[in-house]
Each structure stands twice: as structure tokens, then as C-alpha cells.
């Protein structure tokens, strides 16, 4: 399966950061995987201009479930498409925690993204306490079933398994732990989407770096990565991309 490596800049990046996209283009050449960079809303259009005619695809970090309306401060999926995005990250744990996003809300956002023609990267993952309680499979399975809307296919959805305790901490699950949960995600996807569930890309996210990427990509059912901190600098991000090749 062609791997998908997505960088999530979160609330980082001013116009000067667009130089990283420029640098990434030079470092990646003919990529053998899909490369997505998700800058903040304010940089989407300029980022898409910089990425034009290159292997770098631009994505966003959230969208509203509605196409338009009285939703102060929100941005619709259609607006993202117009700004040049082709992907959108939805249900990231930081959205689930800081903006109280439930599975039901995530599911409506994914449906809106699909309606606008975007591919959604749906994030799921357990907290440390849930792992310690032995509830990982149950929690992640529940998030997954609740967050995938009707109409999802392997071409408009990717799943990112991101243990909350591994995000920005430098902590990473063991390869066995990653394989265990990715195989249960695969099973849920097959139950939900039938044979097409085998083709949905399942990304791992949480403290991925150039130095640990090759091990993670070697794991069964790991079809790419969602990268936060290490995506901010083109050289580090390109190191992760080359580990996927
Ligand atoms: P991190 O973040 O790579 O900085 O741990 C990953 C994410 O939140 O998507």
C-alpha cells in the first residue's frame, strides 16, 4: 500500500514558515509515498501556491460540519477546498479535549469533508489511564465506529492511531503494541467497509521522528504517519518521508 505521511503543524507557522514547504520540495524529489502538510488556516492558500506542481499536498486541521452559516470563527470544508486543501485532519485529540468534540461531531465533520471532496484523516487514540485500565481496544474501537460516517471509503478516509500519551512527549508504544491496535483497527474497518476496509491507510502518530520512523513503518498494518513536532522542519520531516520509501 502506498504510504501516507502527513505533517500537522498545529498552531505553529507564520508566513516565514512557508520556506519549509519550499525546502521540502527540494528534499523529496519523486516521492514514493503521499506527502501532506497541514499548516494553520491562515497559511493554507499560500502553502498551496508554494506546493503547486510538486509532490507536496496541502491539508487543513479541522472544518465545520456545515457548508456556511452563522458560526463565528469557523471554517467550512468548501472554504478549505477553495484555499487549496485536499486533506483535512479531523477528531485530533487536541480538538476532542480542548473543543469537546464527540465522535458524533467528528462523524458529521468527516461527512462534510467528503461532501466537499476532501480526504479526512480521522484521529483516534487512548489516554494513559485508559491504557493502564486495559481498555485500549475498546476505546479506540468505539471512537472509530462513532467517527466514521456513511459513505466512507478507502479513498476518502485514512485513520490515524495516536495514543494521547505519546503526543509531544517523546514516548512511543512498542512495535507490538502498535501492531496490536492497528490490527484491531483493520478488523473494525473491514467490519464497517467490507473488503474496502483492507485498503484504508492506518497511520501511526505520536512522537514520530526520523530516528524511529523506519521501525514504526516496518510494523504490520502501519501505512504511514501523522507527525506533529517533527513536521515543522523540512529536513526532519524529509527524514521520516525517506524512511517510508
Ligand atoms: P507529535 O504530534 O508528533 O508532536 O507527537 C503528533 C500529533 O499530534 O499529530
Amino acid at each position: 500500500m502506498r504510504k501516507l505521511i502527513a505533517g500537522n503543524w498545529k498552531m505553529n507557522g507564520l508566513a516565514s514558515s512557508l520556506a519549509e514547504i519550499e525546502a521540502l520540495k527540494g528534499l523529496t524529489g519523486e516521492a514514493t509515498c503521499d506527502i501532506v502538510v497541514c499548516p494553520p488556516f491562515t497559511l493554507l492558500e499560500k502553502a498551496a501556491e508554494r506546493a503547486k506542481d510538486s509532490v507536496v499536498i496541502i491539508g487543513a486541521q479541522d472544518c465545520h460540519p456545515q457548508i456556511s452559516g452563522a458560526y463565528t470563527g469557523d471554517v467550512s470544508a468548501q472554504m478549505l477546498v477553495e484555499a487549496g486543501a485536499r486533506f483535512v485532519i479531523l477528531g485530533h485529540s487536541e480538538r476532542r479535549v480542548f473543543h469537546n468534540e464527540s465522535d458524533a461531531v467528528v462523524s458529521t465533520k468527516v461527512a462534510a469533508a467528503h461532501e466537499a471532496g476532501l480526504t479526512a484523516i480521522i484521529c483516534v487514540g487512548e489516554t494513559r489511564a485508559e491504557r493502564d485500565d486495559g481498555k485500549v481496544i475498546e476505546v479506540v474501537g468505539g471512537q472509530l465506529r462513532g467517527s466514521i460516517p456513511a459513505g466512507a471509503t478507502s479513498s476518502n478516509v485514512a485513520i490515524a492511531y495516536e495514543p494521547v500519551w505519546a503526543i509531544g512527549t517523546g514516548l512511543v508504544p512498542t512495535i507490538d503494541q502498535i501492531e496490536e491496535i492497528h490490527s484491531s483497527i483493520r478488523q473494525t474497518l473491514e467490519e464497517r467497509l467490507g473488503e474496502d476496509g483492507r485498503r484504508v491507510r492506518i497511520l501511526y502518530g505520536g512522537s514520530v521522528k526520523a530516528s524511529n520512523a523506519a521501525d514504526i513503518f516496518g510494523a504490520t498494518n502501519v501505512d504511514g504517519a501523522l507527525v506533529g513536532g517533527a513536521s515543522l522542519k523540512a529536513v526532519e520531516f524529509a527524514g521520516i518521508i525517506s524512511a517510508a520509501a
Side-chain angles (χ1 to χ4, degrees):
M1 189 142 35
R2 189 176 165 92
K3 287 196 169 44
L4 167 61
I5 314 296
N8 173 11
W9 283 12
K10 308 192 179 183
M11 197 172 73
N12 297 292
L14 298 170
S16 57
S17 316
L18 295 168
E20 298 301 327
I21 292 177
E22 217 56 72
L24 191 62
K25 281 167 31 182
L27 289 164
T28 45
E30 273 190 34
T32 51
C33 57
D34 291 336
I35 303 166
V36 180
V37 174
C38 303
F41 289 139
T42 48
L43 292 181
L44 280 178
E45 197 155 357
K46 283 187 183 136
E49 272 164 29
R50 299 287 183 109
K52 204 163 170 256
D53 299 324
S54 82
V55 292
V56 180
I57 302 166
I58 299 302
Q61 302 171 19
D62 183 42
C63 71
H64 192 274
Q66 301 296 326
I67 282 183
S68 62
Y71 302 101
T72 304
D74 278 310
V75 174
S76 76
Q78 205 178 42
M79 293 170 183
L80 300 180
V81 171
E82 195 180 61
R86 285 170 50 201
F87 278 72
V88 61
I89 299 168
L90 291 169
H92 189 283
S93 65
E94 287 150 17
R95 301 288 317 172
R96 291 178 185 266
V97 171
F98 302 135
H99 295 269
N100 293 319
E101 287 188 10
S102 62
D103 295 332
V105 166
V106 175
S107 171
T108 58
K109 289 184 171 195
V110 176
H114 289 167
E115 188 67 33
L118 291 165
T119 297
I121 300 175
I122 304 174
C123 305
V124 294
E126 82 287 358
T127 62
R128 181 81 251 176
E130 287 162 343
R131 177 164 283 274
D132 291 345
D133 285 351
K135 292 191 180 139
V136 184
I137 305 266
E138 185 188 326
V139 167
V140 170
Q143 288 175 333
L144 203 54
R145 281 185 282 269
S147 305
I148 299 178
T153 69
S154 58
S155 38
N156 64 21
V157 147
I159 305 300
Y161 167 59
E162 299 202 302
V164 178
W165 52 272
I167 295 175
T169 58
L171 301 171
V172 179
T174 64
I175 297 300
D176 282 354
Q177 286 170 329
I178 293 175
E179 286 186 338
E180 183 193 21
I181 190 72
H182 277 233
S183 100
S184 95
I185 290 172
R186 177 71 66 211
Q187 211 178 318
T188 307
L189 288 168
E190 284 179 34
E191 280 160 24
R192 191 59 196 268
L193 306 179
E195 206 186 316
D196 193 36
R198 287 187 210 159
R199 291 186 286 270
V200 174
R201 289 181 287 191
I202 308 175
L203 320 183
Y204 167 78
S207 297
V208 177
K209 301 183 282 258
S211 58
N212 61 16
D215 283 348
I216 293 170
F217 294 147
T220 310
N221 279 314
V222 173
D223 310 307
L226 181 57
V227 184
S231 72
L232 295 173
K233 290 283 165 226
V235 172
E236 180 72 14
F237 194 44
I240 296 171
I241 292 163
S242 56

